[in-house]
């Protein structure tokens, strides 16, 4: 049953960005894959909040590197994108049972 739920949870990740034509689908799909990798890392049991935030920071580094690609396609990783990405990462964390995670802290090292 958990695999079924995870499939649908991942399908909804970043849906508002896919629906907004301002954000190129190909780049949003890449961000989604990066967040899926974050999900795999935190799927391990008994991680501390420090470990969750470390994995989140690593994830955001990869997304930070995508900023020029968004700029090249007349888009950007703006505040709205930051909110969508933070919400997606928060949803992943909560799905894995980490309910005390701060959403803003998940993306605190963002450069967009």
């Amino acid at each position: 049953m958990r695999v079924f739920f995870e499939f649908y949870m991942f399908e909804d990740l970043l849906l508002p960005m896919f629906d907004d034509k301002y954000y190129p689908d190909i780049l949003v799909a890449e961000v989604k894959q990066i967040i899926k990798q974050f999900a795999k890392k935190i799927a391990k049991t008994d991680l501390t909040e420090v470990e969750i935030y470390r994995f989140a920071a690593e994830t955001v580094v990869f997304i930070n590197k995508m900023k020029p690609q968004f700029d090249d396609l007349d888009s950007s990783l703006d505040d709205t994108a930051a909110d969508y990405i933070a919400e997606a990462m928060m949803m992943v964390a909560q799905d894995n049972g980490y309910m005390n995670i701060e959403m803003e802290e998940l993306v605190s090292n963002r450069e967009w």
Side-chain angles (χ1 to χ4, degrees), residues 17 22-24 67 70-71 74-79 81 112:
M17 285 183 78
Y22 177 69
Y23 305 108
K67 186 180 182 318
F70 276 87
D71 293 341
D74 295 324
S75 184
S76 69
L77 287 169
D78 56 10
D79 289 340
W112 21 273

Coordinates of all heavy atoms in Angstrom, one line a residue, residues 17 22-24 67 70-71 74-79 81 112:
M17 N 3.8 24.0 -10.5 CA 4.8 24.5 -11.4 C 4.6 23.9 -12.8 O 4.9 24.6 -13.8 CB 6.2 24.2 -10.9 CG 6.7 25.0 -9.8 SD 8.4 24.7 -9.2 CE 9.3 25.5 -10.5
Y22 N 5.0 29.5 -17.1 CA 6.2 30.3 -16.9 C 7.4 29.4 -16.6 O 8.5 29.7 -17.0 CB 5.9 31.2 -15.7 CG 7.1 32.1 -15.4 CD1 7.6 33.1 -16.2 CD2 7.8 31.9 -14.2 CE1 8.7 33.8 -15.9 CE2 8.9 32.6 -13.8 CZ 9.4 33.6 -14.7 OH 10.5 34.3 -14.4
Y23 N 7.1 28.2 -16.0 CA 8.2 27.3 -15.7 C 8.3 26.2 -16.7 O 7.3 25.5 -17.0 CB 8.0 26.7 -14.3 CG 7.8 27.7 -13.2 CD1 6.5 27.9 -12.6 CD2 8.8 28.5 -12.7 CE1 6.3 28.9 -11.6 CE2 8.7 29.4 -11.7 CZ 7.4 29.6 -11.2 OH 7.2 30.5 -10.2
P24 N 9.4 26.1 -17.4 CA 9.6 25.0 -18.4 C 9.4 23.6 -17.8 O 10.1 23.3 -16.9 CB 11.0 25.3 -18.9 CG 11.4 26.7 -18.5 CD 10.6 26.9 -17.3
K67 N 19.6 27.3 -11.8 CA 19.2 28.7 -12.0 C 19.5 29.2 -13.4 O 18.6 29.8 -14.0 CB 19.8 29.6 -10.9 CG 19.2 31.0 -10.9 CD 19.8 31.9 -9.9 CE 19.3 33.3 -9.8 NZ 19.1 34.0 -11.1
F70 N 17.1 28.0 -16.0 CA 15.8 28.6 -16.0 C 15.9 30.0 -16.6 O 15.1 30.4 -17.4 CB 15.3 28.8 -14.5 CG 14.6 27.6 -14.0 CD1 15.3 26.5 -13.4 CD2 13.2 27.5 -14.1 CE1 14.6 25.4 -12.9 CE2 12.5 26.3 -13.6 CZ 13.2 25.3 -13.0
D71 N 17.0 30.7 -16.3 CA 17.2 32.1 -16.9 C 17.3 32.0 -18.4 O 16.7 32.8 -19.1 CB 18.5 32.7 -16.3 CG 18.3 33.0 -14.9 OD1 17.2 33.1 -14.3 OD2 19.4 33.2 -14.2
D74 N 14.0 32.0 -20.3 CA 13.1 33.2 -19.9 C 12.2 32.8 -18.7 O 11.0 33.2 -18.7 CB 12.3 33.7 -21.1 CG 13.2 34.2 -22.2 OD1 14.2 34.9 -21.8 OD2 12.9 34.0 -23.4
S75 N 12.7 32.1 -17.8 CA 12.0 31.8 -16.6 C 12.9 32.1 -15.4 O 14.0 32.7 -15.6 CB 11.6 30.3 -16.6 OG 10.9 30.0 -15.5
S76 N 12.5 31.7 -14.2 CA 13.4 31.9 -13.1 C 13.0 31.0 -11.9 O 11.8 30.5 -11.9 CB 13.5 33.4 -12.6 OG 12.2 33.7 -12.1
L77 N 13.9 30.8 -11.0 CA 13.5 30.2 -9.7 C 13.2 31.3 -8.8 O 14.1 31.8 -8.0 CB 14.7 29.3 -9.2 CG 14.9 28.0 -10.0 CD1 16.2 27.4 -9.6 CD2 13.8 27.1 -9.7
D78 N 12.0 31.8 -8.9 CA 11.6 33.0 -8.1 C 11.0 32.6 -6.8 O 11.0 31.4 -6.4 CB 10.5 33.8 -8.9 CG 9.3 33.0 -9.4 OD1 9.2 31.8 -8.9 OD2 8.5 33.5 -10.2
D79 N 10.4 33.5 -6.1 CA 9.8 33.2 -4.7 C 8.7 32.2 -4.8 O 8.6 31.4 -3.9 CB 9.4 34.5 -4.1 CG 10.5 35.4 -3.6 OD1 11.6 34.9 -3.5 OD2 10.2 36.6 -3.4
A81 N 8.4 29.8 -7.1 CA 9.0 28.5 -7.3 C 9.6 28.0 -5.9 O 9.5 26.8 -5.6 CB 10.1 28.6 -8.3
W112 N 18.0 31.6 -4.8 CA 17.0 32.1 -5.7 C 15.8 32.6 -4.9 O 15.7 32.3 -3.8 CB 16.5 31.1 -6.7 CG 16.7 29.6 -6.3 CD1 17.8 28.9 -6.5 CD2 15.8 28.8 -5.6 NE1 17.7 27.6 -6.0 CE2 16.5 27.5 -5.4 CE3 14.6 28.9 -5.1 CZ2 15.9 26.5 -4.7 CZ3 14.0 27.9 -4.4 CH2 14.7 26.6 -4.2

